[in-house]
Structures are given as C-alpha cells and as structure tokens.
Amino acid sequence: MPAFSPTLSLYIARRFAGMVLAMITALTALVALFDFIELLRRAATRPDAGFLLVASIASLRLPFMIMQILPFAILLGGILAFWRLSRASELVVARAAGISAWSFLLGPVFVAVCLGGLATTVLSPLSAAMLSRAERLDATYLRNTAGLSTLAGGRLWLRQADTSLEPGGVAIMAGVPEVGPQGFVLRDISLWRLSADDRPLARVEAPQGRLVPGAWVLQDAVTFGANRLPSAPEALRVPTVLTPDRIEESFASPDTLSFWALPDFIQVLESSGFSAVRHRLQFQSLLSLPLLTAAMALLAAGFSMRHARRGGVAQMMGAGVAAGFLLFLLDKVVEEFGQAGTLPVVLAAWVPSVAGLLLALTLLLYVEDG
C-alpha cells in the first residue's frame, strides 16, 4: 500500500469541506440573528428606521461576519468532520494500512488554505464595500452622527506633501469641514507651509477652501511670508493627493477597505500625516489568514483523530474548542499591543497564526508519531 493515497485524501477533503461550509452557514446565521435583534432594539426609538432598513443593514454585514468567524468555523467543522471519520473507523483503517496522517491531511489543509485565500482576495473587497454601506446607513438612521466634524472633534487637521515652495516640503492645514453642494469644503482655514526640516516658509489664512481633483482651491487667501507681511487676497491652489473619500475613510474602520485597496491607501495616509498602524495591521492580518486557516485545520485533526474506543474523545474535542478560544484571545491581545505601538505590526498580525500552527504540529507529532 503506498504511503500516499490521492483518492483517500480527496475523500477526506470533501468531507472536511462539506462540514466546514455547513458550520460557516450555521455560525453566520446565529451571529446574524443576534445582530438583527440588536439592530431592531436600536431602531425601536427611530421612527424613520423601518424593518426593511434594519434587514438591509443586517444583510450588508453578512460578508464581514463570515470573515470574522471563518477560522473558528474551520476549527469546529474540522473537529466534527475528523470525529465522524474516526468514529466510523475510516481513519483507523487508513493508518493501519500504512497511510500516514501527514499524507491524508494534505487535502483538508489545501481546502483550508483555499478558503483563507478566497476570503482575503475575493470576500474581503465584497465585505469592505458592503460594510462601508452598512455603516453609513447605521450612522445616518440609527446613530445620527454628524460625520467628519464629529469624528475630528469639530476641526479637521491634515498634513500632506507640499513641494511647491521647496523640495521635500510639507503643508499642515486646519479648518472646519463641510460637505455640501460644492463638494468637500473647509472653512476658516489656517495653512502652514514648512520645509523638509520643519522650517516655516509661509502661513496662509483663508475663509474657505474647496477640495477639487488634485488640489485645494483656497479663496481670498492671505499669505504671510518670511517677512511676516501679508499679501493681497488671492485665489491659491495647493496640490494634494487627498480625496473626500480618503479623508473620510481615514477616520473609519480599516474593515471598510479591501485587501487590494489597503497598500495604496496606507501610502497616501502616511504621506498625509495620519497614522496607518490600524490599516497596516489589517493588511498583515489578511495576509496571514490562509496560514491561520491551515493551522485551524491541523488543530482540528490533532484534537479529534483519537479513536472512539480509547475514550476521552469528548475531552479532546472540548480541549480543541478551548484552544480555539485561546487563539482568539491571543489574537485580540496582540492586536491591542500592535495598535498601541508596543509590538511591531508584522509580529502582532502573524503571532496568532504561527502560534496556532506550532501548537497543531506539536499535537499531531504526539498523536501520529508519539
């Protein structure tokens, strides 16, 4: 009997995929039900928020929920799939025939990696677009927030590259934001133009400025040069790479940006003086998702391949669920450290995946070879 059986690996992969998809469906439905109930409770005091609006918001959040529960669904689905195979003695017969667990686990691991890769590359853009729409509806009808003015404390501060006066220069702009028929407008603008070494070059005061594609257009701008004497009011054009969407998204959750949009947005964010730590952490977390799903598949196998006649199956499966919760807790803890700057972003994003993989490999070595 060969040490590797493609037919057996494909069979186990099919059983694993079916159980994981069923678990994703069940957990998503459960989480969506509680989310829908919470939205109904919040909408009870809003006369303009009807049942259809609440249902729309809950539906738009479904892809985001799938992204969040995917690793745990793979763990639970894998535990049930491998337990059923062990209870039917199929895995026992395969191992007795000389087929190593490392070989027939290739199929389930491949399925898990594919699910993680699809979630990162395909589901992430869909989740970001739908979640952004859901948050806008939520903010408009259920929270009644005032947009950028509220998020920025009433006065918006921006920092961007400004090479008009000197190479490597920067510009710092402050104003009261408004979004109206004229587009994105700042009022009571103060603009400081600095050199690369933060030496003041000029200060500009303007009653109003409008963001157009590629530039800020300041009206009746008065410029104070190095001699501190004011110039005559004039229209001033300051080049920029910012857009209203990018400014608004910088205050929003990184979950509302897709995997493909994050690298360019991080670059623009940092060149404009904003902190991109949360967005970098989100990007690295999405990159590590296939490794995390593979670790969950191996962890499920390690905790559920014990033969039923040897006893202790329930304890092993319970330990698998507990291990999943511990990995989830570890993920949240290192994420907080990463956002606070205590840990490097790459380390904070990849630690849960690597820790889960090492735990799974150690357990499988003990079960298979030990």
Side-chain angles (χ1 to χ4, degrees), residues 2-5 8 94-95 97-106 368-369:
F4 173 70
S5 173
L8 178 62
R95 295 165 74 184
I99 301 177
S100 171
W102 300 106
S103 62
F104 63 68
L105 287 178
L106 290 177
E368 177 67 11
D369 303 322

Side-chain angles (χ1 to χ4, degrees), residues 68-69 71-72 75 292 296 321-335 352:
Q68 299 302 306
I69 68 175
F72 198 66
L75 176 64
L292 180 60
M296 288 300 184
V321 175
F325 276 113
L326 287 177
L327 283 176
F328 176 78
L329 180 62
L330 175 65
D331 180 44
K332 294 305 177 184
V333 170
V334 297
E335 180 182 349

Side-chain angles (χ1 to χ4, degrees), residues 291 295 298-299 351-365:
L291 180 62
L298 291 174
L299 202 61
V351 158
S353 301
V354 174
L357 183 62
L358 293 177
L359 176 61
L361 292 176
T362 301
L363 185 61
L364 282 172
L365 284 172

Side-chain angles (χ1 to χ4, degrees), residues 10-330:
L10 182 61
Y11 169 74
I12 295 176
R14 188 168 62 247
R15 295 284 297 271
F16 174 84
M19 191 59 67
V20 167
L21 291 177
M23 189 59 63
I24 291 175
T25 303
L27 289 179
T28 302
L30 181 62
V31 175
L33 176 62
F34 283 105
D35 184 57
F36 182 68
I37 293 173
E38 172 62 17
L39 289 172
L40 282 177
R41 184 192 65 80
R42 292 169 53 197
T45 58
R46 306 287 184 181
D48 55 342
F51 180 85
L52 290 180
L53 175 67
V54 173
S56 298
I57 296 175
S59 300
L60 289 170
R61 291 171 58 87
L62 286 178
F64 173 71
M65 294 178 185
I66 295 175
M67 291 284 296
Q68 299 302 306
I69 68 175
L70 178 62
F72 198 66
I74 289 177
L75 176 64
L76 289 181
I79 287 177
L80 290 177
F82 289 121
W83 172 72
R84 293 179 66 178
L85 291 169
S86 296
R87 188 182 63 173
S89 299
E90 293 174 272
L91 295 184
V92 177
V93 171
R95 295 165 74 184
I99 301 177
S100 171
W102 300 106
S103 62
F104 63 68
L105 287 178
L106 290 177
V109 171
F110 178 76
V111 170
V113 171
C114 287
L115 288 174
L118 287 174
T120 296
T121 58
V122 178
L123 187 59
S124 166
L126 179 64
S127 170
M130 295 178 68
L131 181 63
S132 178
R133 174 63 178 166
E135 288 190 348
R136 285 196 294 268
L137 290 174
D138 192 338
T140 302
Y141 294 100
L142 300 183
R143 290 200 299 261
N144 287 338
T145 55
L148 276 174
S149 295
T150 299
L151 291 173
R155 192 166 178 86
L156 180 65
W157 289 80
L158 299 172
R159 183 179 184 273
Q160 64 180 45
D162 181 14
T163 59
S164 302
L165 299 182
E166 187 176 300
V170 296
I172 299 176
M173 182 183 298
V176 180
E178 292 182 4
V179 180
Q182 296 182 345
F184 189 86
V185 174
L186 283 181
R187 301 193 182 277
D188 299 328
I189 293 176
S190 297
L191 172 65
W192 293 268
R193 311 184 80 171
L194 310 174
S195 65
D197 56 356
D198 294 334
R199 178 171 48 85
L201 300 177
R203 179 171 62 88
V204 179
E205 299 289 338
Q208 178 178 305
R210 184 165 57 93
L211 180 59
V212 300
W216 290 97
V217 178
L218 308 184
Q219 300 175 2
D220 298 326
V222 177
T223 301
F224 297 84
N227 55 10
R228 299 185 180 182
L229 296 178
S231 66
E234 60 179 348
L236 182 64
R237 189 179 181 92
V238 181
T240 184
V241 295
L242 294 175
T243 64
D245 289 340
R246 283 174 171 171
I247 294 174
E248 184 174 1
E249 286 169 351
S250 67
F251 297 97
S253 168
D255 294 315
T256 58
L257 292 171
S258 75
F259 171 77
W260 304 107
L262 277 169
D264 290 338
F265 187 76
I266 289 170
Q267 183 177 1
V268 172
L269 205 61
E270 291 181 336
S271 66
S272 302
F274 293 105
S275 171
V277 171
R278 294 189 306 150
H279 299 80
R280 286 188 175 277
L281 188 59
Q282 174 73 1
F283 181 69
Q284 292 295 330
S285 297
L286 289 173
L287 276 180
S288 67
L289 185 57
L291 180 62
L292 180 60
T293 54
M296 288 300 184
L298 291 174
L299 202 61
F303 278 110
S304 56
M305 286 200 310
R306 185 184 182 95
H307 195 277
R309 294 183 179 179
R310 297 174 60 184
V313 176
Q315 291 84 348
M316 287 288 287
M317 294 176 64
V321 175
F325 276 113
L326 287 177
L327 283 176
F328 176 78
L329 180 62
L330 175 65

